[in-house]
Coordinates of all heavy atoms in Angstrom, one line a residue:
M299 N 10.6 8.4 160.5 CA 11.4 9.6 160.8 C 11.7 9.6 162.3 O 10.9 9.9 163.0 CB 10.6 10.8 160.4 CG 11.1 12.1 160.8 SD 11.6 13.3 159.6 CE 10.2 13.4 158.6
S300 N 12.9 9.5 162.5 CA 13.2 9.3 164.0 C 14.6 10.0 164.3 O 15.2 9.9 165.3 CB 13.3 7.9 164.5 OG 14.2 7.2 163.9
G301 N 15.1 10.7 163.3 CA 16.5 11.3 163.4 C 16.6 12.7 163.9 O 17.6 13.2 163.9
C302 N 15.4 13.2 164.4 CA 15.4 14.6 164.9 C 16.3 14.7 166.1 O 17.0 15.8 166.2 CB 14.0 15.0 165.0 SG 13.9 16.6 165.8
G303 N 16.2 13.8 167.0 CA 16.9 13.9 168.2 C 16.2 14.9 169.2 O 16.8 15.3 170.3
C304 N 14.9 15.1 169.0 CA 14.2 15.9 170.0 C 14.0 15.2 171.4 O 13.7 15.8 172.3 CB 12.8 16.2 169.4 SG 12.7 17.3 168.1
G305 N 14.1 14.0 171.2 CA 13.8 13.2 172.5 C 12.4 13.1 172.9 O 12.0 12.9 174.0
I306 N 11.4 13.4 171.9 CA 10.1 13.4 172.2 C 9.4 12.2 171.7 O 9.4 11.9 170.6 CB 9.4 14.7 171.5 CG1 9.9 15.9 172.0 CG2 7.9 14.6 171.5 CD1 9.5 17.2 171.5
E307 N 9.0 11.4 172.7 CA 8.6 10.1 172.3 C 7.2 9.7 172.8 O 6.5 8.8 172.5 CB 9.4 9.0 172.9 CG 10.7 8.9 172.1 CD 12.0 8.7 172.9 OE1 11.8 8.5 174.2 OE2 13.1 8.8 172.3
N308 N 6.6 10.6 173.6 CA 5.3 10.4 174.3 C 4.4 11.4 173.7 O 4.4 12.5 174.2 CB 5.4 10.4 175.7 CG 6.2 11.7 176.3 OD1 6.8 12.4 175.5 ND2 6.3 11.9 177.6
G309 N 3.4 10.9 173.0 CA 2.2 11.8 172.6 C 2.6 12.6 171.4 O 2.8 12.2 170.3
A310 N 2.6 13.9 171.6 CA 2.8 14.9 170.6 C 4.1 14.7 169.7 O 5.2 14.4 170.4 CB 2.7 16.4 171.1
G311 N 4.1 14.9 168.6 CA 5.2 14.8 167.7 C 5.0 15.6 166.4 O 4.0 16.2 166.2
P312 N 6.1 15.4 165.5 CA 6.0 16.2 164.2 C 4.8 15.8 163.4 O 4.6 16.6 162.5 CB 7.3 15.9 163.7 CG 7.9 14.7 164.4 CD 7.2 14.7 165.7
F313 N 4.1 14.8 163.7 CA 3.0 14.4 162.8 C 1.7 14.6 163.5 O 0.6 14.2 163.1 CB 3.2 12.9 162.3 CG 4.6 12.7 161.7 CD1 5.5 11.9 162.2 CD2 4.6 13.1 160.4 CE1 6.6 11.7 161.5 CE2 5.8 13.0 159.6 CZ 6.8 12.2 160.2
S314 N 1.7 15.3 164.6 CA 0.5 15.6 165.2 C -0.2 16.7 164.3 O 0.2 17.3 163.5 CB 0.7 16.2 166.6 OG 1.3 15.4 167.5
K315 N -1.5 16.8 164.7 CA -2.3 17.8 164.1 C -2.8 19.0 164.9 O -2.9 18.8 166.1 CB -3.5 17.1 163.3 CG -3.3 16.0 162.4 CD -2.6 16.5 161.2 CE -2.4 15.3 160.2 NZ -1.5 15.7 159.1
G316 N -3.1 20.0 164.2 CA -3.8 21.1 164.9 C -2.9 21.6 166.1 O -1.7 21.8 166.2
R317 N -3.7 21.9 167.1 CA -3.1 22.5 168.3 C -1.9 21.8 168.9 O -0.9 22.2 169.4 CB -4.1 22.8 169.3 CG -3.6 23.4 170.7 CD -4.8 23.8 171.6 NE -4.3 24.3 172.8 CZ -5.0 25.0 173.7 NH1 -6.2 25.2 173.4 NH2 -4.5 25.4 174.8
E318 N -2.0 20.3 168.9 CA -1.1 19.6 169.3 C 0.3 19.8 168.7 O 1.3 19.8 169.3 CB -1.4 18.1 169.2 CG -0.7 17.2 170.1 CD -1.4 15.8 170.2 OE1 -1.3 15.0 169.3 OE2 -2.0 15.5 171.2
L319 N 0.1 19.9 167.4 CA 1.4 20.2 166.5 C 2.0 21.4 166.9 O 3.2 21.8 167.1 CB 1.1 20.1 165.0 CG 2.2 20.2 164.1 CD1 2.7 21.5 163.7 CD2 3.5 19.3 164.6
V320 N 1.0 22.6 167.1 CA 1.5 23.9 167.5 C 2.2 23.8 168.8 O 3.4 24.5 168.9 CB 0.4 24.9 167.5 CG1 0.8 26.2 168.1 CG2 -0.3 25.0 166.2
E321 N 1.7 23.2 169.7 CA 2.4 23.0 171.0 C 3.7 22.2 170.9 O 4.7 22.6 171.6 CB 1.4 22.4 172.0 CG 0.3 23.4 172.3 CD -0.8 22.9 173.4 OE1 -0.7 21.7 173.6 OE2 -1.4 23.7 174.0
F322 N 3.7 21.2 170.0 CA 4.9 20.5 169.9 C 6.1 21.3 169.4 O 7.1 21.3 169.9 CB 4.6 19.3 169.0 CG 6.0 18.7 168.5 CD1 6.7 17.7 169.3 CD2 6.4 18.9 167.2 CE1 7.8 17.2 168.8 CE2 7.6 18.3 166.7 CZ 8.2 17.5 167.6
V323 N 5.8 22.1 168.4 CA 6.8 22.9 167.7 C 7.1 24.0 168.7 O 8.3 24.4 168.9 CB 6.3 23.6 166.5 CG1 7.4 24.4 165.9 CG2 6.0 22.4 165.4
W324 N 6.2 24.6 169.5 CA 6.5 25.7 170.4 C 7.5 25.1 171.3 O 8.4 25.9 171.9 CB 5.2 26.1 171.1 CG 5.4 27.2 172.2 CD1 5.5 27.1 173.5 CD2 5.5 28.6 171.9 NE1 5.7 28.2 174.1 CE2 5.5 29.2 173.1 CE3 5.4 29.4 170.7 CZ2 5.7 30.5 173.2 CZ3 5.5 30.7 170.8 CH2 5.6 31.3 172.2
N325 N 7.3 23.9 171.8 CA 8.2 23.4 173.0 C 9.5 22.6 172.5 O 10.4 22.2 173.1 CB 7.4 22.5 173.7 CG 6.3 23.1 174.6 OD1 6.7 24.1 175.3 ND2 5.1 22.7 174.6
A326 N 9.5 22.5 171.1 CA 10.7 21.6 170.6 C 12.0 22.2 170.9 O 12.2 23.5 170.7 CB 10.4 21.5 169.1
H327 N 13.0 21.4 171.1 CA 14.3 21.7 171.5 C 14.3 22.9 172.5 O 15.0 23.9 172.4 CB 15.0 22.2 170.2 CG 15.2 21.1 169.2 ND1 16.2 20.2 169.3 CD2 14.5 20.7 168.1 CE1 16.1 19.3 168.3 NE2 15.0 19.6 167.6
G328 N 13.5 22.7 173.5 CA 13.5 23.7 174.6 C 13.1 25.1 174.2 O 13.4 26.1 174.9
G329 N 12.3 25.2 173.2 CA 11.7 26.5 172.8 C 12.6 27.2 171.8 O 12.5 28.4 171.6
T330 N 13.7 26.6 171.4 CA 14.6 27.4 170.5 C 14.2 27.3 169.0 O 14.9 28.0 168.2 CB 16.1 26.8 170.6 OG1 16.0 25.4 170.2 CG2 16.5 26.9 172.1
V331 N 13.2 26.5 168.6 CA 12.9 26.3 167.2 C 11.9 27.3 166.8 O 11.9 27.8 165.8 CB 12.3 24.9 167.0 CG1 11.7 24.6 165.7 CG2 13.4 23.9 167.3
R332 N 11.0 27.6 167.7 CA 9.7 28.4 167.4 C 10.0 29.6 166.6 O 9.2 30.1 165.8 CB 8.8 28.5 168.4 CG 9.4 29.3 169.7 CD 8.6 29.2 170.9 NE 9.1 29.9 172.0 CZ 9.2 29.5 173.4 NH1 8.6 28.4 173.6 NH2 9.7 30.2 174.3
D333 N 11.1 30.4 167.1 CA 11.4 31.7 166.5 C 12.2 31.7 165.3 O 12.6 32.8 164.8 CB 11.9 32.6 167.6 CG 10.9 32.9 168.7 OD1 9.7 32.9 168.4 OD2 11.2 33.1 169.8
Q334 N 12.7 30.5 164.9 CA 13.7 30.5 163.8 C 13.0 30.7 162.6 O 11.9 30.2 162.2 CB 14.3 29.0 163.9 CG 15.3 28.9 165.0 CD 16.0 27.6 164.9 OE1 16.2 26.9 163.8 NE2 16.5 27.1 166.1
P335 N 13.6 31.5 161.7 CA 12.9 31.7 160.3 C 13.0 30.5 159.5 O 13.9 29.7 159.5 CB 13.9 32.8 159.7 CG 15.1 32.7 160.4 CD 14.8 32.2 161.9
I336 N 11.9 30.3 158.8 CA 11.8 29.2 157.9 C 12.6 29.5 156.6 O 12.6 30.7 156.1 CB 10.3 29.0 157.4 CG1 9.5 28.6 158.7 CG2 10.2 27.9 156.3 CD1 8.0 28.5 158.5
R337 N 13.4 28.5 156.2 CA 14.3 28.9 155.0 C 13.5 29.3 153.7 O 12.3 28.9 153.6 CB 15.1 27.7 154.7 CG 14.4 26.3 154.5 CD 15.5 25.2 154.2 NE 14.8 24.0 154.0 CZ 14.7 23.1 155.0 NH1 15.1 23.4 156.2 NH2 14.1 22.0 154.8
N338 N 14.2 29.9 153.0 CA 13.6 30.5 151.7 C 12.5 31.5 151.9 O 11.6 31.7 151.1 CB 13.0 29.3 150.9 CG 14.1 28.4 150.5 OD1 15.2 28.7 150.2 ND2 13.7 27.1 150.3
G339 N 12.7 32.2 153.1 CA 11.7 33.4 153.3 C 10.4 33.1 153.8 O 9.5 33.9 153.9
G340 N 10.1 31.8 154.3 CA 8.8 31.6 154.9 C 7.9 30.8 154.0 O 8.3 30.4 152.8
L341 N 6.8 30.4 154.4 CA 5.8 29.5 153.7 C 4.5 30.4 153.4 O 4.0 31.1 154.3 CB 5.4 28.3 154.5 CG 6.6 27.3 154.7 CD1 6.0 26.2 155.7 CD2 7.0 26.7 153.4
E342 N 4.1 30.2 152.2 CA 2.7 30.8 152.0 C 1.6 30.1 152.8 O 1.6 28.8 152.6 CB 2.3 30.8 150.5 CG 3.3 31.7 149.7 CD 2.8 31.7 148.2 OE1 1.7 31.3 147.8 OE2 3.7 32.1 147.4
A343 N 0.8 30.7 153.6 CA -0.2 30.1 154.3 C -1.5 30.7 154.0 O -1.7 32.0 153.8 CB 0.2 30.2 155.8
I344 N -2.5 29.9 154.2 CA -3.9 30.4 154.2 C -4.4 30.2 155.6 O -4.4 29.0 156.0 CB -4.8 29.8 153.2 CG1 -4.2 29.9 151.7 CG2 -6.2 30.1 153.3 CD1 -4.9 29.1 150.8
C345 N -4.7 31.3 156.2 CA -5.1 31.2 157.5 C -6.4 30.3 157.8 O -7.4 30.5 157.0 CB -5.5 32.5 158.1 SG -6.1 32.5 159.9
Q346 N -6.3 29.3 158.7 CA -7.4 28.5 158.9 C -8.5 29.0 159.8 O -9.5 28.4 160.0 CB -6.9 27.0 159.3 CG -6.0 26.4 158.2 CD -5.2 25.2 158.7 OE1 -5.8 24.2 159.3 NE2 -4.0 25.1 158.4
G347 N -8.2 30.2 160.3 CA -9.2 30.8 161.1 C -10.0 31.8 160.4 O -11.1 31.9 160.5
C348 N -9.3 32.7 159.6 CA -10.0 33.7 158.8 C -10.0 33.6 157.4 O -10.7 34.4 156.7 CB -9.5 35.1 159.4 SG -7.9 35.5 158.7
G349 N -9.1 32.7 156.8 CA -9.2 32.5 155.4 C -8.1 33.5 154.7 O -8.1 33.4 153.5
E350 N -7.6 34.4 155.2 CA -6.6 35.3 154.6 C -5.3 34.6 154.4 O -4.9 33.8 155.1 CB -6.4 36.5 155.6 CG -7.7 37.4 155.8 CD -8.1 38.2 154.5 OE1 -7.2 38.4 153.7 OE2 -9.2 38.7 154.4
D351 N -4.6 35.1 153.3 CA -3.3 34.7 153.0 C -2.3 35.4 153.9 O -2.5 36.6 154.1 CB -2.9 35.0 151.5 CG -3.8 34.2 150.5 OD1 -4.5 33.4 151.0 OD2 -3.8 34.6 149.4
F352 N -1.3 34.7 154.3 CA -0.2 35.3 154.9 C 1.1 34.4 154.7 O 1.0 33.4 154.3 CB -0.4 35.6 156.5 CG -0.5 34.3 157.3 CD1 0.6 34.1 158.2 CD2 -1.6 33.6 157.3 CE1 0.5 32.9 159.0 CE2 -1.7 32.4 158.1 CZ -0.5 32.1 159.0
I353 N 2.2 35.0 155.2 CA 3.4 34.3 155.1 C 3.9 33.8 156.5 O 4.0 34.7 157.3 CB 4.6 35.2 154.4 CG1 4.2 35.6 153.1 CG2 5.9 34.4 154.4 CD1 4.0 34.5 152.1
L354 N 4.0 32.5 156.6 CA 4.5 32.1 157.9 C 6.0 32.1 157.9 O 6.7 31.4 157.1 CB 3.9 30.5 158.2 CG 4.5 29.9 159.5 CD1 3.6 30.5 160.7 CD2 4.2 28.4 159.4
Q355 N 6.6 33.1 158.7 CA 8.0 33.3 158.6 C 8.8 32.6 159.6 O 10.1 32.4 159.4 CB 8.2 34.8 158.7 CG 7.6 35.5 157.5 CD 7.8 37.0 157.6 OE1 7.6 37.6 158.7 NE2 8.1 37.7 156.6
T356 N 8.3 32.1 160.7 CA 9.0 31.3 161.6 C 8.1 30.1 161.9 O 6.9 30.0 161.4 CB 9.1 32.1 162.9 OG1 7.7 32.5 163.4 CG2 10.0 33.2 162.8
Y357 N 8.7 29.1 162.6 CA 8.0 27.8 162.7 C 6.8 27.8 163.5 O 5.7 26.9 163.3 CB 8.9 26.8 163.2 CG 10.0 26.4 162.2 CD1 11.3 26.8 162.5 CD2 9.8 25.7 161.2 CE1 12.5 26.4 161.7 CE2 10.8 25.4 160.1 CZ 12.1 25.8 160.4 OH 13.1 25.5 159.6
V358 N 6.6 28.7 164.3 CA 5.4 29.1 164.9 C 5.1 30.5 164.7 O 5.9 31.5 164.9 CB 5.4 28.9 166.5 CG1 4.1 29.2 167.0 CG2 5.7 27.4 166.8
G359 N 3.9 30.9 164.1 CA 3.7 32.3 163.8 C 2.1 32.6 163.9 O 1.3 31.6 163.9
S360 N 1.8 33.8 163.8 CA 0.4 34.2 164.0 C 0.0 34.8 162.7 O 0.7 35.6 162.1 CB 0.1 35.2 165.1 OG 0.6 34.6 166.4
C361 N -1.3 34.6 162.4 CA -1.9 35.2 161.2 C -2.0 36.7 161.6 O -2.4 37.2 162.6 CB -3.4 34.8 161.0 SG -4.4 35.7 159.9
P362 N -1.5 37.7 160.7 CA -1.6 39.1 161.0 C -3.0 39.7 161.0 O -3.2 40.8 161.4 CB -0.7 39.7 159.8 CG -0.8 38.7 158.8 CD -1.0 37.3 159.4
H363 N -3.9 38.9 160.5 CA -5.3 39.4 160.4 C -6.2 39.0 161.6 O -6.9 39.9 162.0 CB -5.9 38.8 159.1 CG -5.1 39.0 157.9 ND1 -5.1 40.3 157.3 CD2 -4.4 38.2 157.2 CE1 -4.3 40.2 156.2 NE2 -3.9 39.0 156.1
C364 N -6.1 37.9 162.2 CA -6.8 37.5 163.3 C -5.9 36.8 164.4 O -6.6 36.5 165.4 CB -7.9 36.3 162.7 SG -7.0 34.8 162.5
N365 N -4.7 36.9 164.3 CA -3.8 36.4 165.4 C -4.0 34.9 165.5 O -3.5 34.4 166.5 CB -4.0 37.1 166.7 CG -3.6 38.5 166.7 OD1 -2.5 38.8 166.1 ND2 -4.3 39.5 167.2
G366 N -4.5 34.2 164.6 CA -4.7 32.7 164.7 C -3.2 32.1 164.7 O -2.4 32.5 163.8
V367 N -3.0 31.2 165.6 CA -1.7 30.7 165.6 C -1.5 29.4 164.8 O -2.3 28.5 164.7 CB -1.3 30.2 167.1 CG1 0.0 29.6 167.2 CG2 -1.6 31.4 168.1
H368 N -0.4 29.4 163.9 CA -0.1 28.4 163.1 C 1.3 27.9 163.3 O 2.2 28.7 163.8 CB -0.2 28.9 161.6 CG -1.6 29.2 161.2 ND1 -2.3 30.3 161.7 CD2 -2.5 28.5 160.3 CE1 -3.5 30.3 161.2 NE2 -3.6 29.3 160.3
A369 N 1.5 26.7 162.9 CA 2.9 26.1 163.0 C 3.2 25.1 162.1 O 2.2 24.5 161.6 CB 3.1 25.5 164.5
V370 N 4.5 24.8 161.8 CA 4.8 23.7 160.9 C 6.1 23.0 161.5 O 6.9 23.7 162.2 CB 5.1 24.3 159.5 CG1 6.4 25.2 159.5 CG2 5.2 23.3 158.4
A371 N 6.0 21.7 161.3 CA 7.1 20.9 161.8 C 8.4 21.3 161.1 O 8.4 21.3 159.9 CB 6.9 19.5 161.8
P372 N 9.4 21.5 161.9 CA 10.7 22.0 161.3 C 11.3 20.9 160.3 O 12.2 21.3 159.4 CB 11.6 22.3 162.4 CG 10.9 21.8 163.6 CD 9.5 21.6 163.3
M373 N 11.0 19.7 160.5 CA 11.6 18.6 159.7 C 11.0 18.6 158.4 O 11.5 18.0 157.4 CB 11.3 17.3 160.3 CG 11.7 17.1 161.7 SD 10.4 17.8 162.8 CE 11.0 17.4 164.4
N374 N 9.8 19.1 158.1 CA 9.0 19.1 157.0 C 8.3 20.3 156.6 O 7.0 20.3 156.6 CB 8.2 17.8 156.9 CG 7.8 17.4 155.6 OD1 8.3 17.9 154.6 ND2 6.9 16.4 155.4
P375 N 8.9 21.4 156.5 CA 8.2 22.7 156.4 C 7.7 22.9 155.1 O 8.2 23.6 154.2 CB 9.2 23.7 156.8 CG 10.5 23.1 156.5 CD 10.4 21.7 156.5
T376 N 6.4 22.6 154.9 CA 5.7 22.8 153.6 C 4.4 23.5 153.9 O 3.8 23.3 155.0 CB 5.5 21.6 152.8 OG1 4.6 20.7 153.4 CG2 6.8 20.9 152.5
S377 N 3.8 24.2 152.9 CA 2.5 24.8 153.2 C 1.5 23.9 153.6 O 0.6 24.1 154.4 CB 2.1 25.6 152.0 OG 3.0 26.7 151.7
E378 N 1.6 22.6 152.9 CA 0.5 21.7 153.2 C 0.6 21.2 154.6 O -0.5 20.6 155.3 CB 0.7 20.4 152.3 CG 0.6 20.7 150.8 CD 1.8 21.3 150.2 OE1 2.9 21.0 150.6 OE2 1.6 22.4 149.5
N379 N 1.8 21.3 155.3 CA 1.9 20.8 156.7 C 1.6 21.7 157.7 O 1.8 21.5 158.9 CB 3.2 20.1 156.9 CG 3.5 18.8 156.1 OD1 2.5 18.2 155.8 ND2 4.7 18.6 155.6
I380 N 1.2 23.0 157.4 CA 0.9 23.9 158.4 C -0.3 23.5 159.1 O -1.3 23.2 158.6 CB 0.8 25.3 157.7 CG1 2.1 25.9 157.1 CG2 0.3 26.4 158.7 CD1 2.0 27.1 156.2
Q381 N -0.1 23.7 160.4 CA -1.3 23.4 161.3 C -1.9 24.6 162.1 O -0.9 25.4 162.3 CB -0.8 22.3 162.3 CG -0.5 20.9 161.7 CD -1.7 20.2 161.0 OE1 -2.7 20.1 161.6 NE2 -1.4 19.7 159.9
F382 N -3.0 24.6 162.4 CA -3.6 25.8 163.1 C -4.0 25.4 164.5 O -4.5 24.3 164.7 CB -5.0 26.0 162.2 CG -5.8 27.1 162.8 CD1 -5.2 28.3 163.2 CD2 -7.2 26.9 163.0 CE1 -6.1 29.3 163.7 CE2 -8.1 27.9 163.3 CZ -7.5 29.1 163.8
G383 N -3.8 26.3 165.4 CA -3.9 26.0 166.8 C -5.5 26.1 167.2 O -5.8 25.6 168.3
G384 N -6.3 26.6 166.3 CA -7.7 26.6 166.6 C -8.2 28.1 167.0 O -7.4 28.9 167.4
K385 N -9.5 28.3 166.8 CA -9.9 29.6 167.0 C -9.9 29.9 168.4 O -10.2 29.1 169.3 CB -11.5 29.7 166.6 CG -11.7 29.7 165.0 CD -13.1 29.9 164.7 CE -13.4 29.9 163.2 NZ -12.8 31.0 162.6
G386 N -9.4 31.1 168.7 CA -9.5 31.5 170.2 C -8.1 31.0 170.9 O -7.8 31.4 172.0
F387 N -7.3 30.3 170.2 CA -6.0 29.8 170.7 C -5.0 30.9 170.5 O -4.8 31.3 169.3 CB -5.6 28.5 170.1 CG -4.3 28.0 170.6 CD1 -4.1 27.6 171.9 CD2 -3.1 27.9 169.7 CE1 -2.9 27.1 172.3 CE2 -2.0 27.5 170.1 CZ -1.9 27.0 171.4
T388 N -4.2 31.4 171.5 CA -3.2 32.4 171.3 C -2.0 31.9 172.0 O -2.0 31.0 172.8 CB -3.6 33.7 171.9 OG1 -3.6 33.6 173.4 CG2 -5.0 34.2 171.5
L389 N -0.9 32.4 171.6 CA 0.3 32.1 172.1 C 0.5 32.3 173.6 O 1.2 31.7 174.4 CB 1.5 32.7 171.3 CG 1.6 32.3 170.0 CD1 2.8 33.0 169.3 CD2 1.9 30.8 169.8
A390 N -0.3 33.2 174.1 CA -0.3 33.5 175.5 C -0.7 32.2 176.4 O -0.5 32.1 177.6 CB -1.2 34.7 175.9
E391 N -1.5 31.3 175.8 CA -2.0 30.2 176.5 C -1.0 28.9 176.5 O -1.3 28.0 177.2 CB -3.3 29.7 175.8 CG -4.5 30.8 175.8 CD -5.6 30.3 175.1 OE1 -5.9 28.9 175.3 OE2 -6.3 31.0 174.5
V392 N 0.0 29.1 175.7 CA 0.8 27.9 175.5 C 1.6 27.7 176.8 O 2.1 28.7 177.4 CB 1.9 28.1 174.3 CG1 2.8 26.9 174.2 CG2 1.2 28.3 173.1
Ligands
ZN167 ZN1 -6.4 34.8 160.3

Protein backbone atom coordinates (compact mmCIF):
# COMPACT_ATOMS: atom_id res chain seq x y z
CA MET A 1 0.00 0.00 0.00
CA SER A 2 1.81 3.07 -1.20
CA GLY A 3 -0.76 4.94 -3.24
CA CYS A 4 -2.00 7.27 -0.56
CA GLY A 5 0.23 10.15 -1.47
CA CYS A 6 0.65 11.24 2.09
CA GLY A 7 4.37 11.58 1.61
CA ILE A 8 4.93 9.93 4.94
CA GLU A 9 7.87 7.62 4.69
CA ASN A 10 9.67 7.94 7.95
CA GLY A 11 8.41 6.11 10.97
CA ALA A 12 4.71 6.37 11.61
CA GLY A 13 2.32 5.20 8.94
CA PRO A 14 -1.08 3.72 8.36
CA PHE A 15 0.07 0.41 9.78
CA SER A 16 1.35 1.83 13.02
CA LYS A 17 -0.28 0.78 16.24
CA GLY A 18 -1.68 2.57 19.21
CA ARG A 19 -0.71 6.13 19.87
CA GLU A 20 1.61 6.21 16.88
CA LEU A 21 -1.32 5.51 14.57
CA VAL A 22 -3.46 8.10 16.33
CA GLU A 23 -0.78 10.72 15.83
CA PHE A 24 -0.28 9.64 12.24
CA VAL A 25 -3.95 10.09 11.39
CA TRP A 26 -4.10 13.33 13.35
CA ASN A 27 -1.32 14.78 11.24
CA ALA A 28 -2.19 13.10 7.92
CA HIS A 29 -2.67 15.40 4.98
CA GLY A 30 -1.87 18.45 7.04
CA GLY A 31 -4.55 17.68 9.60
CA THR A 32 -7.39 17.67 7.10
CA VAL A 33 -8.26 14.00 7.57
CA ARG A 34 -8.88 13.77 11.28
CA ASP A 35 -12.25 15.54 11.32
CA GLN A 36 -13.65 13.91 8.23
CA PRO A 37 -16.65 11.65 8.78
CA ILE A 38 -16.10 7.97 8.22
CA ARG A 39 -18.29 6.74 5.42
CA ASN A 40 -21.43 4.79 6.20
CA GLY A 41 -21.98 6.67 9.42
CA GLY A 42 -18.93 5.65 11.35
CA LEU A 43 -17.51 2.51 12.87
CA GLU A 44 -18.68 0.56 15.84
CA ALA A 45 -15.91 0.71 18.38
CA ILE A 46 -15.27 -0.78 21.75
CA CYS A 47 -13.29 1.64 23.83
CA GLN A 48 -9.94 0.18 24.69
CA GLY A 49 -9.76 2.41 27.72
CA CYS A 50 -13.08 1.77 29.48
CA GLY A 51 -14.67 -1.02 27.45
CA GLU A 52 -17.82 0.88 26.50
CA ASP A 53 -19.27 0.75 23.01
CA PHE A 54 -19.31 3.89 20.96
CA ILE A 55 -19.40 4.98 17.34
CA LEU A 56 -16.21 6.38 15.90
CA GLN A 57 -17.63 8.99 13.55
CA THR A 58 -14.45 10.65 12.38
CA TYR A 59 -10.99 9.23 11.67
CA VAL A 60 -9.83 10.55 15.00
CA GLY A 61 -12.40 10.56 17.77
CA SER A 62 -12.83 10.28 21.49
CA CYS A 63 -14.80 7.83 23.56
CA PRO A 64 -17.80 9.72 24.98
CA HIS A 65 -17.46 7.86 28.25
CA CYS A 66 -13.81 8.35 29.17
CA ASN A 67 -12.45 10.64 26.42
CA GLY A 68 -10.02 7.95 25.32
CA VAL A 69 -8.67 8.87 21.91
CA HIS A 70 -9.12 6.41 19.07
CA ALA A 71 -8.23 6.60 15.41
CA VAL A 72 -8.40 4.51 12.29
CA ALA A 73 -6.34 4.75 9.13
CA PRO A 74 -8.43 6.38 6.40
CA MET A 75 -7.19 3.85 3.85
CA ASN A 76 -8.66 0.95 5.72
CA PRO A 77 -11.36 2.08 8.12
CA THR A 78 -12.70 -1.03 9.79
CA SER A 79 -13.53 -1.68 13.39
CA GLU A 80 -10.65 -4.12 13.66
CA ASN A 81 -8.19 -1.42 12.68
CA ILE A 82 -9.19 1.12 15.29
CA GLN A 83 -6.24 2.04 17.46
CA PHE A 84 -6.28 3.50 20.93
CA GLY A 85 -4.03 6.33 22.00
CA GLY A 86 -3.61 4.95 25.49
CA LYS A 87 -4.91 5.77 28.90
CA GLY A 88 -4.39 9.38 29.83
CA PHE A 89 -3.71 10.41 26.24
CA THR A 90 -5.90 13.30 25.10
CA LEU A 91 -6.05 15.28 21.92
CA ALA A 92 -4.72 18.29 23.78
CA GLU A 93 -1.35 16.57 23.88
CA VAL A 94 -1.06 15.90 20.18
ZN1 LIG B 1 -13.86 4.90 26.99
